[in-house]
């Protein structure tokens, strides 16, 4: 027996049986085991690995069923001939590529350079930090995993197989569209027909589709400053005419510059990144402006569920009599961002174009996830989760607000009624990127704010402290520790 | 008790318990049940629905746990106050939109009109047709659903929750990248490093990303005629300079026109839609041309697993010494198209740009599906499936070839060694779109070929007969029936 064939790890993600299968399949397909090579008996393998014989028997049986192994009477198990047969592997003809392989001048061929755009980044292992004040990542302790798994299991059921394995670009999962139309949109005051709703790969995909359709090289776009860097990056791939409109304590300000825009992007529920809410009066005024100066509004209504003080203000879209507002929503903030599900609500002619473009771009959101989310919504798990998140975030918001008052009395914050983060203005001399590096060394993750400004000479003393991914007990000590890193004077 | 509250359907997808939950949650959240309204007792509900009381008790217990219902001693169940509390619904302020809501001239604002592009379409209920000779849809009877579900269950396990719920645009699932690199690419003769591989939302998404990066208004693109309409549509959104290069029995022909191209798109494994394979000699010649005239090749290697006669020819990418070939692969053909998973292999500077652009476009492929597919591959289920598909498709290919020789001796077909369809040239007077309509009326679905030509005056007598979605017993009678619909003379 070859000792190296199978290694199992007790604390591994997968069952022992799965690990044995995986190791043997790898060895066969990677050519480490020759055709008809004998495999250790179940007894030997079990003994050598220190696992029960049943475990090995079940793993072998699966491999027999699938044609990886064959059994010979009184002689044991062998690698099945056909396991290597049908999977024909052409021999690589190419020599290893020479170092001189760079005969193509790629830089000259690229029509754009998105990798050079600035953006947020966070360590992949953020969970290992003691005080992760980072934004938009899910708190695993709050997510109803069992319910999600149950919905996923149901969505993968035989009866529904036909409906989700197909390539269906012409329409989205009707169950999910119904849940969005009946359960999510009415809460924002929005009534929409099925053909005014498009399911997207997250809100990000909705913004990309809309920009591709509505923004050309001559289009004038206006957006909030500071604002959402990912949408600014998209706009700047299409046009040089991106106006940055200041934000005050009521969100986007209605400057003269706004009037010249063709398309205006705004986050009225909780302005990104300041989290201020645009009051009803300004919303009405913005709509009047849009009608008078004939511009379109893209409303990104992320985090609309998290308002801890007032009743949530109705969406701009719900106040819009002229069909000028295109609404973008996300399921990432309440489900999980890795799922990539969002939606847009627009006049049906725009939805038809966005659907046709989506076909070329990605076809559609994966059907199994659409169906799982639809079940999760229809069974009320999403509403349960929202209530839980609301309670939890409200508590964290209060704790963090108190901690900021106590430990950073000089830091100013714009008034905030919700969201999942605070936008903090440090002393004028503060460089929040330096602070970020010093904080990281102490196990504290913060988000320096310079990236949210579109101007090159952006202020350096703003930063974001998010509480969606940090345990409430960690908030006060984390803020205290962070405050100690900020020198009071230059 | 309100009779209308819960209706259950015995043959429904969901369990009875799930149906009861869903109906009650709907009634509560949609405001059909008022706060503190009494709910029928479990005994009454069970009796009225004709289900076991246990079923109702379990459904009610779940609703109690989640705060939708409350129980009062000796008084029964009520709608919980808090069920309606936290989910704050602003009243819609908007009047129903007036008919005059069309105050925006959308047509004037659109930068493109993708919805007007021609493309394949198929009936959503294609499974209900007796003879579905349609392409690219999965045959449910061949898909190892139990194994997929098992992998999905494992991927959703607690241990892995952290790795797939996050928003991870900077890298793809390392397990999936490893499987692509170690298991899929070597079969095509391709060696690639991790940073030369990008996971995409299906091959379609890879083509869209590459076009966005490499094709501007002045870029000259060349592609096969007939060819893949979805990629032609993408190219035509970007540039007017799309050359259509004729296909012969060895695939893309190496015309003079090719030399002027900046980017060449080709499907050498099985040309789309003719399924002809480009032989090694022409592949080498094409690569020489690319070097001499400095063009880039995008190789769409769909269906490379399905070659029934010869050994598969190594991918163009594997023969490319200069790094001029960008390889696009799909997992949709062997897993299922609704999953939306594909990948591209390119020089790392292109992968870096494509990753940055993907971030703005969709962020990344959903993590749960990446992980499920990685497990499915690593456990050998994908290879088992490929072997099964290969056997099944080969049989169907032989049966259909024989049926075509017997019933349509006059129809010519290009020589074909694989794929999942035949490309049939009917008599010169045939209008395959008319034939398609007549066939549909008889329960036969075919795919008229005009759409695969990029020229306006495309020939009308070609059509595609696919066998990936039709039972082998249906092939011969279907072809016979279809042949009877084609009049021998004009």
């Amino acid at each position: 027996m070859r000792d190296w064939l199978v290694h199992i790890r007790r604390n591994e993600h997968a069952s022992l049986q799965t690990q044995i299968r995986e190791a043997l399949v790898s060895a066969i397909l990677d050519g480490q085991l020759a055709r008809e090579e004998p495999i250790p008996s179940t007894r030997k393998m079990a003994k050598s690995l220190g696992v029960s014989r049943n475990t090995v028997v079940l793993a072998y049986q699966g491999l027999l069923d699938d044609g990886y192994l064959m059994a010979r009477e009184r002689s044991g198990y062998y690698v099945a001939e056909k396991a290597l047969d049908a999977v024909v592997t052409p021999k690589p003809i190419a020599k290893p590529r020479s170092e001189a392989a760079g005969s193509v001048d790629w830089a000259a061929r690229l029509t754009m350079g998105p990798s050079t755009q600035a953006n947020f980044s966070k360590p992949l292992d953020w969970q290992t930090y003691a005080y992760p004040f980072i934004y938009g990542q899910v708190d695993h302790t709050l997510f109803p995993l069992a319910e999600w798994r149950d919905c996923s299991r149901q969505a993968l059921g035989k009866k529904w197989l036909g409906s989700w394995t197909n390539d269906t670009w012409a329409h989205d999962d009707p169950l999910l569209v119904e849940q969005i139309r009946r359960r999510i949109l009415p809460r924002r005051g929005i009534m929409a027909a099925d053909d005014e709703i498009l399911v997207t790969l997250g809100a990000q995909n909705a913004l990309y589709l809309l920009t591709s359709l509505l923004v050309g090289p001559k289009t004038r776009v206006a957006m909030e400053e500071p604002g959402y860097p990912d949408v600014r990056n998209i706009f700047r791939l299409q046009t040089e005419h991106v106006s940055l409109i200041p934000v005050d304590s009521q969100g986007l300000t209605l400057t003269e510059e706004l009037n010249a825009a063709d398309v205006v992007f705004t986050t009225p529920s909780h302005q990104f990144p300041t989290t201020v809410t645009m009051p009803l009066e300004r919303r009405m005024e913005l709509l009047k402006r849009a009608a008078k100066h004939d511009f379109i509004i893209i409303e990104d209504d992320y985090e609309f569920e998290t308002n801890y003080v007032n009743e949530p203000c109705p969406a701009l879209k719900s106040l819009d009599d002229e069909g000028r507002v295109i609404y973008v929503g996300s399921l990432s903030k309440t489900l999980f961002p890795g799922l990539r599900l969002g939606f847009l609500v627009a006049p049906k002619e725009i939805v038809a174009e966005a659907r046709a473009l989506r076909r070329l771009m990605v076809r559609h959101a994966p059907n199994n996830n659409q169906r799982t989310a639809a079940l999760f919504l229809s069974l009320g798990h999403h509403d349960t989760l929202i209530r839980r998140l609301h309670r939890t975030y409200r508590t964290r918001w209060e704790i963090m607000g108190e901690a900021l008052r106590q430990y950073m009395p000089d830091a100013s914050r714009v008034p905030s009624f919700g969201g999942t983060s605070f936008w903090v203005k440090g002393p004028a001399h503060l460089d929040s990127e330096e602070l970020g590096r010093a904080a990281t060394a102490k196990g504290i993750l913060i988000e320096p704010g310079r990236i949210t400004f579109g101007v090159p000479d952006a202020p350096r003393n703003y930063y974001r402290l998010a509480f969606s991914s940090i345990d409430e007990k960690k908030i006060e000590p984390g803020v205290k520790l962070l405050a100690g890193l900020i020198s009071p004077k230059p």
Side-chain angles (χ1 to χ4, degrees), chain A:
Chain A
M1 175 175 178
R2 304 192 187 180
D3 289 340
W4 47 263
L5 203 60
V6 177
H7 296 284
I8 57 172
R9 293 170 296 270
R10 292 276 162 190
N11 291 322
E12 187 54 33
H13 50 79
S15 70
L16 296 173
Q17 189 186 325
T18 296
Q19 288 188 52
I20 295 168
R21 178 185 172 106
E22 191 170 342
L24 285 172
V25 165
S26 269
I28 293 168
L29 294 178
D30 297 350
Q32 294 169 21
L33 284 174
R35 194 167 297 202
E36 305 229 358
E37 177 158 346
I39 303 291
S41 71
T42 52
R43 192 182 304 272
K44 266 194 194 163
M45 178 72 90
K47 199 173 164 202
S48 133
L49 297 175
V51 304
S52 95
R53 194 167 162 213
N54 267 357
T55 303
V56 181
V57 166
L58 288 170
Y60 278 28
Q61 187 57 49
L63 292 166
L64 279 173
D65 293 346
D66 286 345
Y68 288 100
L69 295 185
M70 54 183 183
R72 291 203 185 120
E73 221 175 322
R74 275 192 293 276
S75 157
Y77 294 93
Y78 294 81
V79 175
E81 191 150 356
K82 63 178 178 179
L84 304 156
D85 243 18
V87 184
V88 196
T89 307
K91 284 179 202 67
I93 292 185
K95 316 114 228 177
R97 240 175 295 140
S98 62
E99 283 305 309
S103 57
V104 180
D105 180 0
W106 289 106
R109 288 176 177 270
L110 286 167
T111 63
M112 51 171 85
S115 74
T116 60
Q117 291 180 324
N119 215 321
F120 283 115
S121 63
K122 58 194 120 215
L124 278 174
D125 59 344
W126 63 265
Q127 284 114 325
T128 64
Y129 287 78
Y131 307 102
F133 291 114
I134 60 163
Y135 181 80
Q137 301 305 308
V138 84
D139 182 335
H140 302 148
T141 59
L142 297 174
F143 188 70
L145 184 61
E147 285 78 3
W148 181 263
R149 289 175 73 166
D150 185 54
C151 291
S152 168
R153 195 182 49 74
Q154 289 195 44
L156 292 175
K158 256 216 172 96
K159 295 235 170 150
W160 273 342
L161 188 57
S163 64
W164 61 260
T165 52
N166 283 323
D167 198 353
T168 49
W169 49 75
H171 73 126
D172 297 313
D173 187 328
L175 296 192
L176 180 57
V177 173
E178 187 191 354
Q179 289 297 315
I180 292 170
R181 181 172 55 74
R182 284 182 48 204
R183 191 147 302 164
I184 294 182
L185 294 178
R187 242 182 254 157
R188 307 297 297 127
I190 298 171
M191 323 266 253
D194 282 356
D195 60 1
E196 295 174 317
I197 298 170
L198 186 75
V199 175
T200 57
L201 270 288
Q204 190 65 34
N205 183 224
L207 297 172
Y208 197 94
L209 286 163
L210 292 170
T211 304
S212 301
L213 289 171
L214 296 170
V215 179
K218 290 179 181 166
T219 310
R220 291 173 179 280
V221 176
M223 64 172 288
E224 300 151 345
E225 170 83 347
Y228 182 42
D230 283 282
V231 79
R232 192 174 56 229
N233 286 340
I234 297 176
F235 290 147
R236 285 184 170 171
L237 290 181
Q238 299 292 327
T239 179
E240 289 173 9
H241 310 292
V242 180
S243 298
L244 305 171
I245 311 286
V247 165
D248 67 10
S249 63
Q250 305 197 332
L252 182 73
T253 54
L254 307 186
T255 63
E256 283 299 306
E257 204 179 348
L258 207 59
N259 303 343
D262 301 303
V263 174
V264 172
F265 174 83
T266 182
T267 52
S269 281
H270 296 289
Q271 199 272 332
F272 188 103
T274 65
T275 80
V276 300
T277 302
M278 188 185 287
L280 188 61
E281 301 67 38
R282 189 175 288 182
R283 291 179 192 229
M284 301 305 288
E285 198 54 47
L286 175 59
L287 289 169
K288 266 190 216 159
R289 282 279 195 103
K292 185 169 174 197
H293 298 281
D294 193 23
F295 58 76
I296 301 301
I297 299 171
I298 298 177
E299 174 183 27
D300 186 348
D301 197 34
Y302 81 106
E303 290 196 341
F304 62 83
E305 312 276 10
T306 56
N307 197 318
Y308 312 125
V309 180
N310 306 323
E311 295 273 301
C313 196
L316 267 180
K317 174 82 182 161
S318 75
L319 308 168
D320 166 35
D321 284 337
E322 292 210 340
R324 290 191 172 275
V325 179
I326 297 178
Y327 180 90
V328 173
S330 172
L331 295 173
S332 300
K333 296 290 180 289
T334 45
L335 295 178
F336 48 90
L339 186 66
R340 310 307 312 135
L341 277 179
F343 55 92
L344 63 84
V345 184
K348 66 180 179 186
E349 50 267 58
I350 295 299
V351 167
E353 296 299 340
R355 194 187 300 281
L357 184 60
R358 190 192 65 185
R359 172 185 180 150
L360 299 179
M361 196 179 280
V362 292
R363 294 245 189 272
H364 53 78
N367 294 340
N368 59 329
N369 283 347
Q370 288 193 59
R371 180 56 52 96
T372 304
L375 288 168
F376 194 81
L377 281 155
S378 74
L379 291 172
H381 298 312
H382 187 244
D383 293 276
T384 309
L385 174 60
I386 287 174
R387 287 198 295 276
R388 187 182 314 148
L389 289 176
H390 195 274
R391 280 195 305 273
T392 309
Y393 288 163
R394 191 197 160 103
T395 305
R396 293 181 187 174
W397 175 77
E398 286 170 350
I399 292 173
M400 187 179 274
E402 184 50 40
L404 287 170
R405 271 186 295 277
Q406 185 177 350
Y407 297 109
M408 301 187 188
D410 302 330
S412 71
R413 309 185 307 280
V414 287
S416 136
F417 310 113
T420 57
S421 60
F422 279 88
W423 180 244
V424 186
K425 183 183 181 183
H429 65 275
L430 180 76
D431 181 332
S432 63
E433 287 171 13
E434 270 176 32
L435 175 64
R437 284 186 289 273
T440 300
K442 300 275 185 194
I444 310 168
L445 296 176
I446 68 166
E447 298 187 311
R450 192 159 65 101
I451 206 77
T452 64
F453 291 89
V455 295
D457 55 338
R460 296 180 160 271
N461 56 330
Y462 289 89
Y463 56 97
R464 184 165 67 167
L465 289 182
F467 50 81
S468 51
S469 317
I470 188 169
D471 187 274
E472 64 178 65
K473 291 189 206 66
K474 299 289 196 75
I475 294 176
E476 189 262 338
V479 170
K480 184 177 174 185
L481 204 54
L482 181 67
L485 297 173
I486 303 174
S487 56
K489 283 184 190 165

